Amino acid sequence: MSLSACFPVTPVNRRILEAAVLGALASLGATAGAADIQWTGTALLTNQWTNATRWSGGVVPGANDRAVFSLNVAGATNNYVGLNGGPPIALGGVQINATSSLLRLGNNESQAQVQLYGIGGVGARNEAATTVRFFKYTKLMGSLSFEAASAAGGGFEFATGITPINMPHIGVDLNGYNLTLNTVNAANTIAFNAGVGITGTGDVTKLGAGLVTTQRPPAAPAGDRVDRVLRDRRGHARRRARLPAV
């Protein structure tokens, strides 16, 4: 039986096929030619994400690259990577190795938007026994996961820190894509603190035995264990994820 007999090429089906092909090409583009670029910064005052001299090869990671953190430097000199306000930053993914002393990505105040594409479906993975504070304003550019994978307990935190300056949103914008929050084991956590949220349309899935905490919507009834309600463009509430109660 021919393909056209099984799937007639109508205008609607043509658009479905075109969307599927474009989605597959976008996924390949975010993975093909991906490079692991190591953070080499050890001097606090010049530890800006956009400072190419702080990255291996003198190249700042882009949409097809994974930013890798492995250094463990005594004191606070390598715990913080700054990101000031400015144009959006395109990034493939973040890998935090078990040896890393990294504690925070981005400044406490104003930050540029980070457009996160994912590498092999992973947006960020933390294997260190630390809770890393992630960028304040992350916009998904593909369906991806955050993985807290330490055997000794660690994870990710999304927090405001000092009151942000001129930032349109704090937290993760799903942007029509799906997000998986994977704690891998019971020792790890992923936390969205007060004033930080997950917005936009898309599904959120929790995996792993560790705790994932999100902020309860103000209008949620007492005892409601659905911690987050997303709203579609018409303003209708849509329940997307059952996560542990805050």
Side-chain angles (χ1 to χ4, degrees):
M1 184 178 292
S2 68
L3 177 61
S4 61
C6 297
F7 195 79
V9 182
T10 64
V12 172
N13 287 344
R14 183 183 298 278
R15 287 195 294 272
I16 293 172
L17 285 170
E18 289 173 349
V21 170
L22 289 173
L25 289 174
S27 177
L28 286 173
T31 304
D36 284 352
I37 301 180
Q38 292 276 349
W39 173 256
T40 60
T42 57
L44 181 61
L45 295 179
T46 57
N47 270 1
Q48 280 295 317
W49 183 277
T50 53
N51 185 345
T53 65
R54 298 300 168 190
W55 297 98
S56 60
V59 177
V60 177
N64 289 328
D65 303 318
R66 182 167 32 226
V68 180
F69 296 87
S70 301
L71 286 176
N72 189 325
V73 179
T77 56
N78 193 49
N79 292 346
Y80 155 78
V81 179
L83 177 60
N84 294 325
I89 301 297
L91 178 62
V94 173
Q95 169 71 30
I96 303 164
N97 290 327
T99 54
S100 175
S101 58
L102 179 70
L103 293 178
R104 189 172 85 230
L105 291 169
N107 297 357
N108 262 335
E109 299 93 2
S110 179
Q111 285 184 26
Q113 178 194 93
V114 174
Q115 298 178 345
L116 194 60
Y117 287 80
I119 300 292
V122 178
R125 180 179 174 88
N126 182 12
E127 298 179 358
T130 56
T131 298
V132 174
R133 181 172 292 184
F134 206 70
F135 297 111
K136 286 186 179 181
Y137 182 15
T138 302
K139 182 176 183 178
L140 302 193
M141 305 303 288
S143 294
L144 50 80
S145 66
F146 280 81
E147 300 178 355
S150 171
F156 290 103
E157 176 187 40
F158 296 81
T160 58
I162 299 173
T163 302
I165 302 171
N166 298 324
M167 292 183 65
H169 170 69
I170 302 297
V172 175
D173 179 3
L174 295 176
N175 191 33
Y177 295 102
N178 300 327
L179 175 65
T180 299
L181 301 173
N182 187 357
T183 57
V184 180
N185 61 60
N188 300 315
T189 62
I190 299 176
F192 288 81
N193 294 345
V196 183
I198 303 173
T199 62
T201 56
D203 292 328
V204 175
T205 302
K206 177 189 180 296
L207 297 178
L211 185 66
V212 172
T213 57
T214 63
Q215 295 303 304
R216 192 183 304 280
D224 187 354
R225 292 186 61 81
V226 178
D227 296 314
R228 189 173 58 82
V229 177
L230 293 181
R231 297 183 180 277
D232 62 17
R233 291 185 179 89
R234 295 181 300 278
H236 297 150
R238 295 197 297 179
R239 297 190 175 195
R240 286 297 197 183
R242 284 192 177 273
L243 303 178
V246 177

